[in-house]
Amino acid sequence: MTNCIDTIDRPYGSGPVERAGSTIGRVIDRAVAVSAQGAMAAVLMLLDWQRRARERAHLAALPDDILKDVGLSRADVEAVTHKSSWLR
């Protein structure tokens, strides 16, 4: 990303203020990129928690005969469905 200070034609060359502005611009750009990555990771984590909660609710709603067909007991389902969404 180009910093606005870098695009202005300076008649006297590039002084310490302009060089500092360019460095600050790069630091800000990097901070924004890291913040965006952190925000995306948080959103993905929340979506994963939501998916797990939905899957556990569906599992809890299954009748005992279907649970038996897949090799689970009601006690197995209870143990899983009482876990918090953020636990795997």
Side-chain angles (χ1 to χ4, degrees), residues 5-6 8-23:
I5 293 172
D6 295 336
I8 298 172
D9 190 22
R10 302 269 185 220
Y12 302 110
S14 178
V17 173
E18 287 82 7
R19 285 193 301 274
S22 177
T23 301

Side-chain angles (χ1 to χ4, degrees), residues 4-69:
C4 292
I5 293 172
D6 295 336
T7 61
I8 298 172
D9 190 22
R10 302 269 185 220
Y12 302 110
S14 178
V17 173
E18 287 82 7
R19 285 193 301 274
S22 177
T23 301
I24 291 170
R26 284 193 302 271
V27 169
I28 291 172
D29 288 345
R30 179 69 180 138
V32 168
V34 168
S35 295
Q37 289 172 349
M40 180 60 84
V43 166
L44 292 175
M45 183 175 53
L46 290 172
L47 289 172
D48 193 38
W49 291 354
Q50 184 180 33
R51 178 190 52 79
R52 280 193 219 134
R54 187 176 51 248
E55 288 175 355
R56 289 175 181 163
H58 287 171
L59 184 62
L62 291 175
D64 289 337
D65 57 332
I66 292 180
L67 291 176
K68 184 179 177 187
D69 288 345

